[in-house]
């Protein structure tokens, strides 16, 4: 058995159950739209106690080639789910999850929703608010505006709840 951050933990884990869960989470993420290999890599990072692994550790854990890991982590970096870092003096990159991952991820989505809403607003101006197409685009704009407001309220509640938990 290789030494992993998990094997140093004081809590024993059923590694077969963890492997099955990684595959299940990866499959679930791919069913909701994430590419399959990035979904598996993300699942592996989520389930490691350290929250970070090297490309070689990921390839070994997932039984895939280093090239598959390279493409997956590049995609995950682009969408803001993982960060690449290097220990001083090391030649190996480590991939880690962001702190407050969910908040950061949804804030990025919030910016995209705002851009989408602004584009819809421009469309309403171009189409005319009283045309069928303008009404349709106005409905989209109004829904996106509603979402932005609700998301901002939700983010505030999330931070309040985390503060109550001492995080």
């Amino acid at each position: 058995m290789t030494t992993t951050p998990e094997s140093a933990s004081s809590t024993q884990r059923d590694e077969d159950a963890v492997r099955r869960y990684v595959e299940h989470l990866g499959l679930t993420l791919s069913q909701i739209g994430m590419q399959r290999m990035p979904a598996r890599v993300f699942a592996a990072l989520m389930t490691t106690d350290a929250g970070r692994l090297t490309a070689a550790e990921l390839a070994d854990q997932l039984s895939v080639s280093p090239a598959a890991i390279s493409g997956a982590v590049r995609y995950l970096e682009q969408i803001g789910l993982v960060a690449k870092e290097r220990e001083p003096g090391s030649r190996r990159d480590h991939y880690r999850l962001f702190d407050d991952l969910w908040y950061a991820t949804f804030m990025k989505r919030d910016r995209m929703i705002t851009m989408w809403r602004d584009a819809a607003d421009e469309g309403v101006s171009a189409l005319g608010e009283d045309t069928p197409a303008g009404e349709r685009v106005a409905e989209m704009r109004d829904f996106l505006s509603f979402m932005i407001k609700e998301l901002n309220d939700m983010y505030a509640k999330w931070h309040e709840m985390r503060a109550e938990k001492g995080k």
Side-chain angles (χ1 to χ4, degrees):
M1 176 185 238
T2 57
T3 302
T4 64
E6 285 75 29
S7 62
S9 175
S10 61
T11 303
Q12 290 295 329
R13 296 173 9 146
D14 179 345
E15 291 302 322
D16 286 334
V18 172
R19 276 190 288 282
R20 284 191 303 276
Y21 177 69
V22 166
E23 292 305 321
H24 176 74
L25 179 57
L27 179 61
T28 300
L29 293 171
S30 68
Q31 289 173 335
I32 61 173
M34 187 181 283
Q35 297 171 12
R36 178 82 169 120
M37 187 52 60
R40 292 180 70 212
V41 168
F42 180 77
L45 286 167
M46 282 295 294
T47 58
T48 184
D49 287 341
R52 59 188 288 236
L53 294 167
T54 66
E57 290 167 332
L58 285 163
D60 183 52
Q61 182 177 337
L62 299 173
S63 301
V64 297
S65 72
I69 298 299
S70 177
V73 294
R74 187 170 41 255
Y75 172 78
L76 291 170
E77 283 180 291
Q78 287 172 348
I79 63 171
L81 290 180
V82 302
K84 179 171 40 175
E85 57 187 28
R86 188 172 284 182
E87 297 282 329
S90 174
R91 295 189 314 183
R92 289 187 181 188
D93 291 328
H94 286 81
Y95 299 96
R96 71 169 178 82
L97 301 172
F98 285 105
D99 294 332
D100 207 0
L101 170 70
W102 302 112
Y103 176 74
T105 299
F106 279 88
M107 283 302 290
K108 189 175 196 177
R109 298 285 188 271
D110 189 36
R111 285 190 298 276
M112 288 188 287
I113 293 169
T114 299
M115 290 171 63
W116 190 2
R117 189 253 346 252
D118 292 348
D121 193 45
E122 184 179 327
V124 171
S125 295
L127 296 165
E129 201 157 345
D130 57 348
T131 67
E135 289 174 5
R136 216 174 13 258
V137 175
E139 177 81 11
M140 177 174 62
R141 177 204 56 205
D142 295 346
F143 175 76
L144 294 169
S145 292
F146 170 80
M147 278 189 58
I148 291 165
K149 183 198 175 306
E150 291 299 311
L151 285 171
N152 287 333
D153 292 346
M154 186 179 68
Y155 297 147
K157 288 176 186 175
W158 170 248
H159 283 294
E160 185 179 304
M161 187 179 82
R162 283 181 52 106
E164 288 172 4
K165 288 183 173 184
K167 291 187 176 190

